[in-house]
Amino acid sequence: MSSVLLFSIIMLSLLGVVLAVILYLVAQKFKVFEDPRIDEVEAVLPGANCGGCGYPGCRGFADAFVKAEDVSSLFCPVGGNDTMNAAAAVMGKTVEAKDPEIAVVRCSGSPENRKRIVQYDGASSCKVATSLYSGDTGCQYGCLGLGDCVAVCKFDAIYIDPVTLLPVVSDEKCTACGACVKACPKFIIELRKKGPKSKRIFVSCINKDKGGVARKACQVACIGCGKCVKVCPHDAITLENNLAYIDFNKCKLCRKCVEECPTSAILELNFPPRKPKVEAEAQVEKTE
Amino acid sequence: MLKTFSKGGVHPPENKISAGKSIEILPLPQKVSIPVSQHIGAPATVLVVKGDKVKVGQVIAQSAGFVSANIHSSVSGTVESIDAVLDSTGYKRQAVTITVEGDEWIENIDRSTDLKKDIQLNAQDIIKRINESGIVGLGGATFPSHVKLSVPAGKKAEVLIINGVECEPYLTSDHRLMLEKGHEMMVGIQILMRALNVEKALIGIENNKPDAIKYLKSIVGEYKGVEVHSLKVKYPQGGEKQLIKALINREVPSGGLPIDIGAVVHNVGTAFAVYEAVQKNKPLFERVVTVTGKNLPKTANYMVRIGTSVAELIAAAGGLPEDTGKVVNGGPMMGKALTSTDVPVTKGTSGIIVFQSKESKRKADSVCIRCGKCVSVCPMGLEPYLLNRLSQRMMFENMEPEHVLDCMECGSCSFECPANLPLLDYIRLGKAEVNKIIRARKN
């Protein structure tokens, strides 16, 4: 009985040793060298695997970051400057700071502003709806409100407002990964600079129709009148195809265009409330 | 035992309300808007400018390439504008708007109604005339006819198949055309046979149109090589691949064309248009449109000039009833709901259907239980439930090996689904995305 036990133990131990030696030799022969810094860089990344950087997940980005000679084109929008600095420190490099960005929805066509003229009854997806028809209002450019952007957001940063039926981006949660920008079949969402204290100004419309047509479809459409272009002291606004566009690199957030816009198509976000006009005029009189 | 195709198919209620109404000529409208892209392929190039005087039948936009078609003025009058107007999907597309003044046709159109039987042109000239006359497939797909007739080198057409199936419920325009223009259509078929150099033509008609079958069988003896076949009723028999299978029991290979197996399919409406173009010199500027609906005061089959507003058609049929839920351009299975009735009739408009609101709502969808009904009804042998899932999860590259491009969007799967899932909506999206992938690969 004991000899059987002994025999088994010895045989199995021998087998273990032999196999271990084979495994070791094979592992040595087929060893793949992987830069240990890839692991280190990956450790400092957010780990959201959102793909916002353009690489398949954080590991892919770390791999590209370690291998790249010039890292200026690489940026993790979720982690922002802190993460990029930490990753650069691993590599002993420095990176330029980038201003944080945020997704903005360039449509204000709530049911109140933009009358619904058609009822859509198909699959609940903006992409499907776009392939079928122009949209449930007179504006063929505007938001369909079926929430493709909400479905792709990994950070729970966007939701459809039940009253306006438009997507709303959360200032705190949005990481500017750009998933919603790619998901929107109408190209309504744009990544813009977040601005100091999240203050930002943008034209909340992408309607390229002529003024009258655009206005008929939606009360807050950009009608391409060009008043904002004239009033802007910083040459930040351009007008193309009946649509104004504010260059966020040139905009100094003076808010003159917002006041000038006859259809309130230009939105200002997170600014303190303006002083009532009468008071401001009174002050001017006093100083005189 | 009547013939039909073997795989799949459904039986939607027929509702051919307007089948007994003979074709009426719709009075000339005040104004027409003629889109420059009414066919598959490149949009035609506009030849006229604002203020030009045009006559009926004059070319106003020229075919831009091989797969494209000429566009002719359907009225005489003054060009009011060349601008983007709403099309049936709600997007704006370029169109020529003409104010109607009188009804003056260009001189070389033969306006007499006598039947002209002997064909003078040879094959090449016939194809040239069809190309010049802007004829496209009038069954609804609007593929330029001259392309189908130009058989590529190395392939040979053996049989011409004429599609008189009209398997879509409600529509009756082809049915009326067969009854009223039977002889003209037969001559049209002879012309197509000469263009293709084939000896045999088969007309396929579903047996829910016994009067048309009887009439055509009674006159077919006068035309050499033409046969009339009665088919079992089953949707989508009017799909060209299904019709070929039903009539000559051959299958078009996946990704192939009917010419690969020696067949060429044309619609009866196209055959009639070919007759008019070749024998009467009349380009394609009017077509038969069925206007129907259970609630509509009057259902009718109208001969309509291209570019007439749909609103005018509906007004002629007694106006929109109060309880209207949806107006569909085309048949109820494959047609598309209009976003506005202020859109022009195009070469592909076979019918305008007005639905009551209770008919026009989709039922609430639930979840797929993999019952397989969609698989059993798919006439192309696809797996719609799977394609739907892949598309919803944006796994478009996995859809190509599942032969999503073979889908002809007949809607049988969505019609049959007991969970009311919008299967076709997602499959159509998948098709578009797969086409994009293929184009990107080619470049």
Side-chain angles (χ1 to χ4, degrees):
Chain A
M1 185 67 188
S2 65
S3 67
V4 174
L5 261 179
L6 202 66
F7 179 73
S8 310
I9 292 168
I10 292 170
M11 279 310 287
L12 283 173
S13 310
L14 258 174
L15 200 65
V17 171
V18 171
L19 289 176
V21 170
I22 296 174
L23 277 175
Y24 174 77
L25 291 174
V26 171
Q28 286 301 310
K29 171 100 178 142
F30 293 104
K31 191 171 182 179
V32 178
F33 175 76
E34 196 170 48
D35 199 325
R37 291 175 300 177
I38 295 177
D39 285 328
E40 288 174 45
V41 172
E42 192 189 352
V44 301
L45 293 174
N49 292 321
C50 64
C53 52
Y55 290 92
C58 294
R59 179 89 191 169
F61 179 77
D63 189 53
F65 190 81
V66 171
K67 284 178 185 159
E69 295 269 311
D70 175 26
V71 291
S72 61
S73 62
L74 298 169
F75 189 75
C76 170
V78 177
N81 288 326
D82 295 344
T83 300
M84 289 311 291
N85 287 335
V90 173
M91 298 293 297
K93 289 178 184 169
T94 50
V95 286
E96 265 180 57
K98 276 190 187 167
D99 290 334
E101 291 186 330
I102 191 168
V104 296
V105 180
R106 291 180 293 169
C107 179
S108 306
S110 62
E112 199 187 311
N113 292 332
R114 188 170 59 139
K115 244 177 56 200
R116 266 39 179 181
I117 52 173
V118 184
Q119 265 180 340
Y120 175 67
D121 199 19
S124 184
S125 150
C126 305
K127 262 195 167 151
V128 171
T130 311
S131 71
L132 289 173
Y133 80 131
S134 62
D136 52 1
T137 67
C139 171
Q140 60 166 303
Y141 302 93
C143 178
L144 298 164
L146 296 169
D148 277 14
C149 48
V150 178
V152 294
C153 184
K154 291 207 171 161
F155 302 95
D156 201 17
I158 197 163
Y159 65 94
I160 302 283
D161 187 300
V163 178
T164 62
L165 304 178
L166 292 169
V168 180
V169 179
S170 153
D171 282 354
E172 292 82 40
K173 289 181 184 168
C174 178
T175 58
C177 72
C180 50
V181 176
K182 281 177 211 148
C184 180
K186 298 271 190 191
F187 310 105
I188 289 168
I189 306 178
E190 187 198 12
L191 287 182
R192 289 180 73 90
K193 271 194 189 149
K194 205 166 181 178
K197 288 183 192 164
S198 297
K199 286 183 199 165
R200 53 189 183 272
I201 296 178
F202 58 95
V203 181
S204 179
C205 181
I206 56 162
N207 192 324
K208 295 186 187 71
D209 281 333
K210 281 177 196 154
V213 182
R215 185 65 193 262
K216 205 178 155 197
C218 178
Q219 285 179 29
V220 290
C222 172
I223 52 172
C225 64
K227 278 188 174 171
C228 51
V229 180
K230 277 180 210 144
V231 81
C232 181
H234 311 290
D235 272 346
I237 308 180
T238 48
L239 191 69
E240 207 178 321
N241 295 327
N242 307 308
L243 181 63
Y245 181 78
I246 302 177
D247 184 343
F248 50 66
N249 289 320
K250 290 182 185 163
C251 176
K252 300 273 192 288
L253 303 174
C254 70
R255 297 202 275 173
K256 279 190 179 147
C257 52
V258 182
E259 284 166 0
E260 196 66 28
C261 181
T263 58
S264 317
I266 304 179
L267 288 193
E268 49 171 53
L269 289 184
N270 300 320
F271 281 90
R274 288 157 198 266
K275 287 176 192 162
K277 262 200 170 164
V278 192
E279 213 176 280
E281 274 164 20
Q283 271 182 350
V284 173
E285 274 169 24
K286 264 184 203 168
T287 47
E288 277 171 359
Chain B
M1 185 68 189
L2 290 171
K3 289 179 182 174
T4 186
F5 59 99
S6 51
K7 232 184 271 169
V10 291
H11 295 278
E14 284 167 21
N15 288 321
K16 303 258 188 193
I17 309 166
S18 52
K21 306 286 175 68
S22 40
I23 299 170
E24 287 173 53
I25 294 171
L26 192 79
L28 277 181
Q30 302 276 311
K31 190 166 90 172
V32 293
S33 285
I34 306 171
V36 296
S37 179
Q38 303 183 28
H39 46 263
I40 290 179
T45 326
V46 180
L47 295 179
V48 289
V49 290
K50 191 180 165 180
D52 276 4
K53 295 270 175 206
V54 292
K55 288 181 186 172
V56 179
Q58 186 182 329
V59 182
I60 52 170
Q62 197 177 21
S63 150
F66 181 56
V67 185
S68 182
N70 281 348
I71 305 284
H72 301 79
S73 174
S74 58
V75 292
S76 60
T78 317
V79 176
E80 188 187 297
S81 66
I82 296 155
D83 205 356
V85 301
L86 277 189
D87 78 348
S88 53
T89 57
Y91 288 105
K92 288 183 179 137
R93 313 240 191 242
Q94 202 185 29
V96 179
T97 304
I98 302 167
T99 322
V100 180
E101 293 149 10
D103 191 26
E104 196 186 335
W105 294 34
I106 53 172
E107 288 74 31
N108 55 0
I109 300 178
D110 176 3
R111 292 184 72 173
S112 68
T113 51
D114 341 326
L115 183 69
K116 220 170 123 188
K117 266 191 178 177
D118 43 311
I119 307 157
Q120 267 127 27
L121 302 182
N122 64 16
Q124 260 185 340
D125 291 338
I126 291 172
I127 295 174
K128 199 171 151 228
R129 177 71 63 80
I130 289 173
N131 187 359
E132 282 165 3
S133 304
I135 294 176
V136 299
L138 294 180
T142 65
F143 192 76
S145 295
H146 67 272
V147 183
K148 273 196 195 176
L149 291 172
S150 314
V151 180
K155 293 193 178 138
K156 195 188 169 332
E158 291 164 36
V159 59
L160 169 68
I161 289 175
I162 297 296
N163 188 346
V165 174
E166 201 159 55
C167 60
E168 278 270 12
Y170 286 95
L171 301 186
T172 56
S173 53
D174 287 353
H175 182 185
R176 291 315 305 181
L177 204 62
M178 285 188 281
L179 275 178
E180 291 171 36
K181 308 281 181 191
H183 279 287
E184 287 85 347
M185 202 186 83
M186 287 291 183
V187 178
I189 294 170
Q190 301 269 300
I191 298 168
L192 288 171
M193 284 164 76
R194 179 176 288 195
L196 286 166
N197 192 21
V198 296
E199 298 296 313
K200 202 162 104 176
L202 308 175
I203 309 176
I205 308 170
E206 280 189 346
N207 73 341
N208 57 358
K209 296 177 262 296
D211 48 351
I213 297 170
K214 201 175 149 205
Y215 172 62
L216 291 186
K217 276 194 172 161
S218 72
I219 62 166
V220 76
E222 300 170 35
Y223 303 93
K224 202 176 145 253
V226 187
E227 291 169 28
V228 177
H229 288 265
S230 149
L231 301 167
K232 208 171 139 186
V233 179
K234 188 157 86 170
Y235 179 86
Q237 195 138 237
E240 61 178 9
K241 287 168 189 167
Q242 279 63 39
L243 186 60
I244 294 171
K245 176 73 185 162
L247 282 174
I248 58 171
N249 199 20
R250 290 186 199 171
E251 251 177 62
V252 180
S254 172
L257 291 170
I259 190 70
D260 296 338
I261 52 164
V264 175
V265 184
H266 282 283
N267 183 268
V268 288
T270 316
F272 176 64
V274 164
Y275 164 80
E276 292 208 309
V278 175
Q279 304 294 73
K280 304 275 182 179
N281 235 331
K282 182 180 155 196
L284 180 61
F285 59 75
E286 57 182 0
R287 67 157 298 148
V288 185
V289 179
T290 302
V291 184
T292 181
K294 286 181 188 160
N295 251 4
L296 214 58
K298 173 192 164 197
T299 62
N301 298 293
Y302 288 117
M303 185 61 100
V304 184
R305 300 284 174 94
I306 303 290
T308 309
S309 154
V310 167
E312 247 169 277
L313 274 177
I314 295 175
L320 271 189
E322 221 154 80
D323 179 39
T324 299
K326 198 184 254 184
V327 179
V328 170
N329 174 8
M333 296 294 282
M334 287 186 73
K336 284 192 175 161
L338 294 176
T339 54
S340 153
T341 54
D342 211 13
V343 299
V345 167
T346 63
K347 291 176 183 176
T349 310
S350 46
I352 299 293
I353 311 174
V354 178
F355 285 108
Q356 294 157 266
S357 44
K358 66 170 182 196
E359 295 173 307
S360 56
K361 287 256 166 33
R362 290 197 196 187
K363 289 181 198 135
D365 54 350
S366 64
V367 287
C368 174
I369 56 162
R370 308 222 165 179
C371 65
K373 275 195 175 167
C374 53
V375 181
S376 63
V377 298
C378 179
M380 298 309 293
L382 306 176
E383 294 173 287
Y385 77 93
L386 176 67
L387 295 172
N388 172 48
R389 282 215 166 172
L390 289 173
S391 179
Q392 272 183 343
R393 294 177 186 180
M394 297 199 237
M395 295 162 75
F396 301 119
E397 62 281 8
N398 296 29
M399 293 179 81
E400 200 187 341
E402 298 295 339
H403 298 285
V404 67
L405 294 184
D406 283 348
C407 171
M408 53 163 181
E409 307 178 12
C410 68
S412 297
C413 50
S414 298
F415 176 78
E416 198 68 16
C417 181
N420 304 312
L421 292 173
L423 295 167
L424 179 60
D425 290 358
Y426 280 105
I427 294 174
R428 213 184 256 144
L429 170 68
K431 258 181 91 174
E433 294 291 331
V434 169
N435 272 324
K436 267 188 218 162
I437 293 173
I438 291 174
R439 243 173 298 159
R441 202 162 51 208
K442 272 185 192 157
N443 295 337

